[in-house]
Amino acid sequence: MKKFPTSSEFAAQANTNPEKYAQLYQQSIESDESNEAFWAKRAELVDWIKKPTKIKDINYDLDDFRIKWFEDGELNVSVNCLDRHLVDNPYKPAIIWEGDHPSLHKIISFKELHSEVCRLGNAMRKMGVGKGDRVALYLPMVPEAVVSMLACARIGAVHTVVFGGFSAESLASRIVDSQAKLVITADEGVRGNRYSPLKTNVDRALDVDGTECVEKVIVVHRTGNSVPMSGRRDVWYHTVIDNSNEDCPPETMNAEDPLFLLYTSGSTGKPKGVVHSTGGYLTYALSTFRDVFDVKEDDVFWCTADVGWITGHSYVTYGPLANGTTTVMFEGVPQYPTWARIGQIIDKHDVSILYTAPTAIRAMMKEGDAFVRESNRESLRLLGTVGEPINPEAWDWYHSVVGEGRCPIVDTWWQTETGGILMAPLPNSVDMKPGAAMNPLYGIKPVIVDSDGVELEDAAAGNLIISDGWPGQMRTIYGDHKRFLETYYTTYPGSYFTGDGAMRDEDGHYWITGRVDDVLNVSGHRIGTAEIESALVSHPAAAETAIVGMPHELKGQGICAYVILRHGEEDSERLRGELNRHVRAEIGPIANLDAIYVVDALPKTRSGKIMRRILRKLAAGEFDGLGDTSTLAEASVVDDLIKTVKSA
Ligand code: WT7
C-alpha cells in the first residue's frame, strides 16, 4: 500500500509530530478521569462568562439518558468569535469574501464584523426575537450569512440555516418544524452567473400552512433586481442595519442551551433537525479546527462548503472565527468563469489552507492540469477533504498537482451529528494513505462491530460506532427525542451508531467504506432515499418507486429511480424528464435523478419488503451474482428488471 510521508518543508513547522499525537491521544482516552481532564483543558480555549466546574455527564442507558458537557458553564459564542479578538487584532481580516464574479471581493475586519453583528442583533431584538427563538437563514454565500449566524448567537436565538439550493417546499417544511419567528434571506443568489430567486421562494414557502409563525422577513440586497416586498412583514437588511446601534450586550447562555438546528436527511422520514449545543459545540469546533488544520496566526483558511451544511457551520464560521483565523467565503462555483478559478482565488488572497470535497477535486481533475497550473499556489501549505471517501486517483492528483507534493492532505471524516471532525490524519502525525481517514482525533473512541454488536479487534471491517462522547455531539432531534434515541443509541446499546461502515487495517488505521443505511451521499451531500421516494410519488404519474444509489464518476454516488407508473400512463423520455423536474422542484437541484427506469414491478420479499440490494446491483450494471433471490415473492421480476436496465 502506498504511503505518503509529510514533506520535510511542512514537518519543520508543524504543530505536532507522531510521538506527540500518540502520547496525547493515549492520555485523552486512557481512563474516564484522563478523558475528562483532557476536555477540561480544551474548554480553557473558550472565554467563559462562568467557567464550568462540571465537565462531562454522559449516560447512554435509555432509561436515564443524558448528554451534558460543561453544564454549569456560561458563555456567548459571538463574544468568542468576535469581541475577544478586538483587543489585539481589531483590523485583522475576519472574512475575505470572494464574489461570484472575479471583480468582486470584500475584506471585513473583526472590528467591522463585530459592529455589523451587533447592529443586526439589536435589530432582531427590536423585532421581538430573543433567547431560544428560532430564526431561519436562507441565504447565498455572502458575508451577511455569517453576520446573521453570529447575530443569532449574540442574542441567544437559535439559527437554522437552510441551504440556498433547497426548494421553497424544503424551506417551508423546515420553517414549520422549527416554528421560526424570523427569516433572513436575499433578493436573489448568484452562482456561476446564474440567479436564483431566494426571496420569491421565501414568499412561496410562507404561503404553506404552518408557517404563520414567521413574523418578519429581512432581505439582503444582493443583486438589486426587483422583488416583491410585502409591507408589514418584509424589511431590507441595510435599512435595519442603518437604523440600529452597535451596542449590543451579549446574552448569557448556558453551555447546554442550543446554538443551532441544522436539518439533515435520515434513512426514513423527513429531514431531522439536529440540535447542537453552545458550550460543547464551540469547544469542539474551536479545538478540532486548531488540531486538524495545524493553524497558525497568519493563516488564510478557505473551506469551500456552503454555510447551509455543517461543514460551513464548523469550518467556515465558528471554528476559524473562534480561533481568530481569517476565513474565506466564496459565493461562486469552481468552473466560473473558467476551471482556473480555485487556483486564482488561492493566489489572489494568499490562501494557505484549502478544505474542499472529493467531488470538486474530481471535477477539476477531469478538466485537466492546465487550469490549475495557471496559478502558482505558493501560499498553500495544507489541503483537506471532506464529505465522502476520496478515491486514490483524486487524492494523488490533489496532492501532486494542486499541492505540488509539498502539502499534506487531511482526509476528515465526520457528520452533521458529530458537530466537528472525528477522524483525520493530523498533519505530520502519520504517513498518509490515500483514501483513509486514518486516526481518531483526541478523546474519540471508534469501535468496529459486526451486525450483532460484537466488537471486532485488530484488522477488521464492520459497522462504525463511537463509544463514549465528545463535546460536539448532537443533543437531540428537534421536537423528537424519541427518534433521536432510536436512530443513534438503540442499534448498539451504550454507543453512538454512525450509520457508516469502516475498515481497520493491519496498522490500525481507519478507512470509511460508506453508509450502511438508506442514506445516499451525492457530491458529498446527504439525501435520504425515503425523502426522494416521497417526492417522486407525489407526481400524479408515479404509482410506486424505489430509489437507490449508483456509482457516479463525479458525484461519487448518483441517484437511480425505479418507477412503476399509474395505470394508463405511458413511458416516454418526456415523462421521465418531467419526473426528474418534479423531484428537483420538490427538494432542490441536488436531488437530480441520474437514471430513471420505468418498470412493471419491484423485487419484493414475501413480506412485501423491497430488496434494495438487487436494485443497487442492477443500477451499478452488475447483472450476475445477484445473491440470494430465494426470498423473492416473484422470481421473474428480476429477469424483467435486467431487461429494462440493459435496454435503457
Ligand atoms: C456522511 C456525513 C460533515 C461532513 C460533511 C458531510 C460521509 C463524510 C467523509 C470522509 C468518507 C465521509 C459519511 C458520513 N463522509 N466525510 N472523509 N470519508 N466518508 O456531512 O451530510 O452529515 O454526511 O458523509 O458517510 O456519515 P453529512
Side-chain angles (χ1 to χ4, degrees), residues 262-265 305 309-312 315 355 358 385-390 410-421 423 435-437 496 498-501 511-517 519-521 524-527:
L262 183 60
Y263 286 83
T264 191
S265 298
W309 313 108
I310 190 70
T311 312
Y315 302 112
Y355 188 33
T385 120
V386 59
E388 56 174 309
I390 183 166
V410 283
D411 179 347
T412 64
W413 170 80
W414 58 299
Q415 310 177 300
T416 304
E417 293 88 337
T418 68
I421 297 163
M423 282 193 205
Y496 167 77
T498 65
D500 277 325
W511 301 69
I512 306 298
T513 50
R515 303 288 308 191
V516 294
D517 54 11
V519 170
L520 306 186
N521 188 327
H525 300 315
R526 210 158 127 172
I527 312 186

Side-chain angles (χ1 to χ4, degrees), residues 367-628:
E367 300 302 320
D369 302 2
F371 282 116
V372 177
R373 300 219 196 268
E374 283 181 35
S375 55
N376 70 46
R377 285 156 285 105
E378 270 165 9
S379 53
L380 268 188
R381 65 179 184 91
L382 179 65
L383 300 170
T385 120
V386 59
E388 56 174 309
I390 183 166
N391 47 312
E393 303 72 41
W395 195 100
D396 268 340
W397 185 82
Y398 196 30
H399 187 252
S400 61
V401 180
V402 178
E404 309 264 355
R406 74 175 180 273
C407 307
I409 298 179
V410 283
D411 179 347
T412 64
W413 170 80
W414 58 299
Q415 310 177 300
T416 304
E417 293 88 337
T418 68
I421 297 163
L422 294 193
M423 282 193 205
L426 293 192
N428 196 40
S429 77
V430 65
D431 290 353
M432 297 160 286
K433 298 175 185 171
M438 301 296 292
N439 284 324
L441 299 203
Y442 305 121
I444 304 301
K445 303 176 197 170
V447 176
I448 296 181
V449 291
D450 67 15
S451 49
D452 298 323
V454 177
E455 177 169 353
L456 306 175
E457 310 268 351
D458 307 320
N463 289 347
L464 178 63
I465 66 177
I466 314 285
S467 64
D468 212 335
W470 62 98
Q473 64 191 137
M474 78 184 279
R475 298 299 192 270
T476 188
I477 292 174
Y478 190 71
D480 202 346
H481 196 62
K482 199 168 147 259
R483 184 174 174 201
F484 169 67
L485 299 179
E486 276 165 8
T487 309
Y488 303 105
Y489 292 97
T490 309
T491 322
Y492 299 103
S495 292
Y496 167 77
F497 179 39
T498 65
D500 277 325
M503 194 263 282
R504 190 171 41 230
D505 66 21
E506 284 80 31
D507 305 322
H509 296 136
Y510 290 87
W511 301 69
I512 306 298
T513 50
R515 303 288 308 191
V516 294
D517 54 11
D518 290 322
V519 170
L520 306 186
N521 188 327
V522 179
S523 303
H525 300 315
R526 210 158 127 172
I527 312 186
T529 50
E531 223 179 303
I532 309 171
E533 285 165 5
S534 98
L536 187 48
V537 293
S538 73
H539 189 282
E544 198 185 345
T545 169
I547 300 288
V548 295
M550 60 186 234
H552 189 286
E553 194 196 344
L554 292 179
K555 300 181 189 178
Q557 241 180 347
I559 304 174
C560 173
Y562 294 88
V563 196
I564 302 174
L565 297 180
R566 274 186 198 283
H567 194 68
E569 296 288 344
E570 190 100 25
D571 180 19
S572 68
E573 205 168 310
R574 224 202 62 207
L575 177 64
R576 276 178 270 139
E578 197 184 304
L579 292 173
N580 189 26
R581 275 191 298 279
H582 176 76
V583 172
R584 290 171 56 115
E586 286 283 308
I587 299 175
I590 60 169
N592 187 62
L593 304 178
D594 298 288
I596 304 177
Y597 299 116
V598 170
V599 297
D600 295 327
L602 293 167
K604 289 187 180 168
T605 61
R606 279 176 210 109
S607 59
K609 214 171 149 289
I610 295 173
M611 292 178 77
R612 290 170 185 278
R613 180 175 53 81
I614 293 179
L615 295 176
R616 276 193 287 266
K617 285 224 155 163
L618 297 181
E622 294 169 30
F623 303 107
D624 306 316
L626 292 176
D628 182 13

Side-chain angles (χ1 to χ4, degrees), residues 57 118 176 204 334 396 460 476 492:
D57 181 13
C118 287
V176 172
R204 283 178 43 212
D396 268 340
T476 188
Y492 299 103

